Amino acid sequence: MSRKWWHDKVAYQIYPKSFMDTNGDGIGDLRGVISKLDYLKELGVDIIWLSPIYQSPFVDQGYDISDYYKIAEEFGTMEEFDELLAETKKRDMYVLMDLVVNHCSDKHEWFQKALADPYGKYAGYFHFVKGKDGKEPSNYRSYFGGSAWEPVPGTDMYYLHMFAREQPDLNWENPALREEIYKMINWWLDKGLAGFRIDAIINIKKDLDFPSYEPDGPDGLVCCVKMVEEVEGVGEYFEDIKKNTFAKYDAFTVAEVFNMKDDELGEFIGEKGHFSTMFDFSAHMLAQGDKGWYNSRKPEFKAWRSTIFDAQLCLQKVGHAANIIENHDEPRGASRFLPEHARNEAGKKMLATTFLFLYGIPFIYQGQEIGMTNCRKNDISEYDDISTLDQYQEALAAGCTEEQALECCYENSRDNARTPMQWSDGENAGFTTGTPWLPVNPNYTEINVKDQESRPDSVLNHYRKLTALKKSPEYKEVFTYGRFIPDHEDQEGIFAYHRKTDEQDILVAANYGTEPCTLKMNNASAKVLLSNVGTEDVRGQEIAETGAVTLESCEAVVLLLG
Ligand code: GLC
Ligand code: CA
């Protein structure tokens, strides 16, 4: 596979609303991002992905865009955005925007014009479809609950929205719409963006017959994803986008793709793939219940490990992966993937070690680098996320008590990862001098950047060591292009793998179990490059003397095998 500029980089996702507020309105802003660039640089970050910062009514926290060419007032101005770009360039950093083009906001000019003239040009930008027997055209349930169809006032038509009713789906079948989108993408790329994270993109292809399917719930509806799974031909759209936009700029694209067809990985991210890469969500899918959050599952260690191993083995044959532990849609990784006994700093550093050296480009989500956790709320009214409100109702409808339904939100809510970044133990975690739009997690007094900067053994400083090792001239090659090879799979609680080139063999090994575990090395020697608990010297000596290494519970090491 040919080499690309981004292969050896470390990426970081910023959720701007919760990152850093500089004007006291309780909402993070672009000035806040600019003020933290040195912090990110020191963390070893090269690429920043900004969740949407476009003008938006924020029904879905910015994933409902009302003007693709404007910066949301809440976040700042276009001048500030340009300044951010310039400041990142100075630091050899790259910026990715979020590209949300399956849908826009119902407040977007196109949709307003479509409503005003439901048979005119702009109606053709959306899916305005005649109802059947005075009812919705089909039985689709939107991803956020309820029918995916909403009446177009004054007509016998409905418009399609696979997400919230305030997020009408765009009609990609229409060449005029595609032109508008390409123009917009190129406008941003001309500004000097490195590329895009591409939102919900698998959904853009619709079956224009909109057939109904067998219901999958007591509401008589079927999740609209069924249509996505059945319809063919989305790849043609992806190729068209690529040809008209990304390819001209050699842009980096990372796609959010669920429900890809099994044999399509190569077409998506292979040498000539539609995208540079896409996120590996396989470990996150493990937690998903088939009904909703109320029947979600805690990923069990062995299943989690084998899921990641399988995904890695498959991905490295085809393209370059993009790895995450958490993002703005998922609960915190430390709360989800760490077993109870490992929910401490050693455990978090172990998880970080396991994650960072996987094959592919790591995306660190804001706060992950200090080990931020899920956040308990006392009442559903304390959540500010459309999906959480829906899932809470679903849980009640399925017979859960309010307490149980709240527990589901604690485990799964998207707001877990959206609480403000914990910068210090000062008021509002140093995020704002005003009232934060979403309350800070009360554990900011213990978990915060300021404290962790002062402690050499903190999670933050461990992340810094990890990125430095990954990018160091000596080991960059093996960590970027080395083969991924699982090892010690038969040993209880051990997560271990090699990264291997013809010249170097690295073993990353971690003990997620509760008991110490001894790993035999079949090597003449081994050098300990890193440990999460300061055992470099002891382990080095132990290996030299016994040819084996014993990892305590929650201990992780990175070894160069000789
Ligand atoms: C993606 C985003 C999510 C958003 C949805 C609709 O899944 O990550 O936050 O709600 O798309 O745009
Ligand atoms: Ca602000």
Side-chain angles (χ1 to χ4, degrees), residues 345-393:
E345 287 213 329
K348 289 170 183 180
K349 290 190 276 182
M350 170 173 70
L351 181 61
T353 310
T354 314
F355 158 75
L356 216 98
F357 298 115
L358 290 175
Y359 170 80
I361 174 170
F363 275 74
I364 301 168
Y365 177 72
Q366 69 181 46
Q368 176 185 323
E369 75 275 24
I370 54 169
M372 281 177 63
T373 65
N374 283 359
C375 184
R376 247 179 221 294
K377 312 262 177 184
N378 299 313
D379 192 83
I380 187 65
S381 63
E382 293 171 35
Y383 285 100
D384 190 355
D385 166 38
I386 187 166
S387 174
T388 305
L389 303 182
D390 168 52
Q391 289 292 334
Y392 178 77
Q393 292 305 332

Side-chain angles (χ1 to χ4, degrees), residues 60 63 100 103 144 163 167 197 199-200 256 328-329 414 418:
D60 184 21
Y63 283 90
V100 189
H103 46 268
F144 292 155
F163 293 89
Q167 292 169 297
R197 175 267 185 182
D199 185 75
E256 182 202 33
H328 67 296
D329 292 331
R414 308 199 298 180
R418 298 178 182 184

Side-chain angles (χ1 to χ4, degrees), residues 20-29 74:
M20 181 66 201
D21 173 28
T22 56
N23 66 349
D25 66 354
I27 297 174
D29 41 50
E74 293 85 342

Side-chain angles (χ1 to χ4, degrees), residues 456-488:
D457 63 346
S458 66
V459 180
L460 176 61
N461 277 314
H462 188 66
Y463 264 95
R464 288 171 174 165
K465 283 186 213 157
L466 294 173
T467 57
L469 178 61
K470 182 179 162 67
K471 300 202 295 181
S472 66
E474 279 164 282
Y475 303 112
K476 193 176 178 150
E477 176 72 19
V478 67
F479 285 131
T480 309
Y481 297 109
R483 279 192 312 285
F484 172 90
I485 306 165
D487 201 359
H488 302 289

Side-chain angles (χ1 to χ4, degrees), residues 1 11 39 47 112 152 169 213 234 350 377 492 541 543:
M1 219 186 40
Y39 166 79
I47 301 178
Q112 290 297 315
V152 176
D169 279 56
Y213 298 100
V234 70
M350 170 173 70
K377 312 262 177 184
E492 197 67 27
Q541 204 175 344
I543 296 166

Side-chain angles (χ1 to χ4, degrees), residues 132 137-141 206-217 220-232:
K132 281 202 183 113
S138 71
N139 65 344
Y140 304 158
R141 183 189 314 107
K206 321 293 195 230
D207 180 338
L208 296 183
D209 291 334
F210 297 110
S212 283
Y213 298 100
E214 188 71 27
D216 64 7
L221 303 179
V222 57
C223 180
C224 55
V225 77
K226 178 73 183 160
M227 185 247 297
V228 174
E229 286 167 357
E230 294 292 319
V231 74
E232 297 287 336

